[in-house]
Each structure stands twice: as C-alpha cells, then as structure tokens.
Amino acid sequence: MFGKRRHNSVREGPVIRDPMAVVPVVPPHVETRTDSRGLLHLRYRVQVAGIPRMLASLFGAATESFRYVDLDEAGSAFFSLVDGQRSMREVVSAMAEKLGRNRTDVEKAAIAFARQLMARHLIQLRVTPQSLGEETR
C-alpha cells in the first residue's frame, strides 16, 4: 500500500522453443555430499542481508550462513545426473532408465523438481542453440 511502487515488467530474453534441450548446471556455491545410502545432501551459502547484516558486521559476526537440503532417491538421481553437459532430455531419459519408471511421468516430475531447485538457486539452466530452435552445424 505504501512505499515503493512496483512495476509489472516483462523480462526480455531468448524464447526457448525446446525446454528439454536446456542444460542444468550446478552453481559453484552449492556443495554436495553423498551418504552411505547413496542419497545426496546439498549445502549452500546464504548471505545475511539488510539490518541483520549491518549488525553482524558491526559486532564481528558472520555475514553468511549455510542452508541444507536432503534429497530423496528420485531427487538424488536427478541431481547426480546434472553435470553441466547433459540436457534436461538426457537427464530425464537416464532417470527413467535408472528408476525403471515411465518417461512421461519422470519428465513431469523432473521439470517440477528443476523449478524448485531453481527457485532456491541450487541449479541454473544454460540455454543452448537447440533450446532456441536454432540449427547446429
């Protein structure tokens, strides 16, 4: 109601024609650990912001902390296949084979999971010429 005025702006960028051709990439601030059951545990840095950051700096406290995410079998299968080389299509195919599940169901679940990971900044998507519908030579 009061304060800054918000504008609904549309972010300009490339039009992705084939979303399964994008390449998921793990950013450098995300660390992984595998437990004895083969499940992955993620750890990532979070910066303290605003007044808490100012107070932390003033008193010599840490201005960053860590968050942790424990992945289940399917999440671990997905994340372990994210190597910065494979496209979403390749990740989904490998997951379907590894888990012995229907490819269509795995694709829907993988897309939903990738969105959750992106919202937490645990993966990024690299746009490829194929995802833009461009021909490669």
Side-chain angles (χ1 to χ4, degrees), residues 52-110:
R53 180 182 180 85
M54 185 177 66
L55 293 172
S57 295
L58 183 65
F59 292 108
T63 57
E64 67 181 15
S65 63
F66 291 98
R67 298 276 165 83
Y68 300 88
V69 177
D70 297 329
L71 301 179
D72 63 9
E73 179 185 6
S76 293
F78 177 88
F79 207 87
S80 67
L81 292 167
V82 173
D83 61 3
Q85 302 298 315
R86 293 183 179 106
S87 68
M88 278 293 288
R89 182 173 289 110
E90 293 167 324
V91 169
V92 166
S93 294
M95 276 186 67
E97 186 177 318
K98 184 176 183 176
L99 299 173
R101 302 230 173 96
N102 177 308
R103 190 188 186 290
T104 304
D105 294 339
V106 171
E107 183 174 314
K108 288 177 187 175

Side-chain angles (χ1 to χ4, degrees), residues 14-35:
V15 176
I16 297 176
R17 302 197 188 287
D18 182 3
M20 295 305 289
V22 297
V23 176
V25 178
V26 178
H29 71 275
V30 178
E31 301 170 13
T32 61
R33 181 180 61 81
T34 306
D35 68 15

